[in-house]
Amino acid sequence: MPGISSVTVYCGSANGADPRYPDLARRLGKAIARRGWRTVYGGGNVGLMGQVASSARDHGGKVQGVMPHFLREIEGVHEGIENRYTDNMHQRKQALLDEADGLIVLPGGIGTLEEAVETLSWAKLSLHRKPMAFLSENNYWQPFFVLVDHMIEGGFLPPSFRQLMANTNSPDAALDALSERAIILD
């Protein structure tokens, strides 16, 4: 892996209850654009997805949305970015992984969690070697890391599993973690 030039962002299609979430998404989009990296995301014009994409685009970054056809009416199509359409959610998840050099997980719901967990499962099976960072300034993902530690303690995951992901608290820390882990995983 020659480094990071494209980052897939998994995040909510809602803004969430805390006003810090949309702000975090906007700051992440700006930080990705500032580094000259491309933002890849689920394609919607709603929630944190729309915040990340708009911010990256508005700060001069390249943005690619990946959306199944059936979600076009539900989540809206984001204008001013490259849009790619898939036939189903499985193709979307594969495309989001294929287009990424690294992945960042912002706050989100069950869909965000499912995308992150499947990507981690694929990494554990050595189907890819792309770094991942969970980003939450207010410890949003802390319960997930407690669960992962519980699985390790229970003997269902090796301790090395924790090296597949970083727990970060700022956009720059998440992007730095991707760069650092890309070198280690290469």
Side-chain angles (χ1 to χ4, degrees):
M1 183 181 308
I4 304 292
S5 64
S6 185
V7 176
T8 287
V9 179
Y10 297 141
C11 58
S13 60
N15 282 323
D18 189 327
R20 291 179 289 185
Y21 300 146
D23 180 61
L24 180 61
R26 287 188 297 271
R27 288 188 291 118
L28 177 61
K30 179 180 179 179
I32 295 170
R34 249 193 356 241
R35 292 191 186 208
W37 298 353
R38 179 178 65 151
T39 301
V40 181
Y41 80 111
N45 194 25
V46 295
L48 299 187
M49 287 195 302
Q51 301 286 345
V52 168
S54 292
S55 181
R57 179 200 62 204
D58 294 350
H59 288 92
K62 293 181 181 178
V63 181
Q64 179 179 23
V66 181
M67 178 185 289
H69 292 288
F70 80 90
L71 281 180
R72 290 172 81 167
E73 296 298 317
I74 298 169
E75 294 183 352
V77 175
H78 207 302
E79 300 298 326
I81 66 165
E82 178 185 342
N83 290 296
R84 177 176 169 189
Y85 300 101
T86 63
D87 291 329
N88 57 55
M89 295 294 281
H90 298 292
Q91 290 173 349
R92 176 200 218 179
K93 287 186 291 184
Q94 186 65 57
L96 288 170
L97 180 62
D98 290 345
E99 294 292 334
D101 297 321
L103 305 107
I104 293 181
V105 186
L106 281 172
I110 198 71
T112 303
L113 179 62
E114 187 265 339
E115 289 170 333
V117 168
E118 186 164 27
T119 301
L120 286 168
S121 178
W122 292 349
K124 184 179 180 296
L125 295 169
S126 298
L127 298 175
H128 74 86
R129 295 185 54 77
K130 298 178 182 185
M132 178 183 279
F134 286 73
L135 172 54
S136 56
E137 292 173 314
N138 61 349
N139 293 317
Y140 182 85
W141 289 112
Q142 193 57 37
F144 175 74
F145 283 89
V146 169
L147 178 60
V148 167
D149 289 341
H150 178 70
M151 291 177 190
I152 291 169
E153 290 166 13
F156 292 101
L157 289 173
S160 62
F161 185 80
R162 272 297 228 125
Q163 296 173 0
L164 297 176
M165 57 194 160
N167 187 5
T168 64
N169 62 8
S170 75
D172 283 326
L175 297 174
D176 289 345
L178 293 186
S179 292
E180 291 163 10
R181 288 174 186 276
I183 294 167
I184 293 168
L185 293 173
D186 192 22

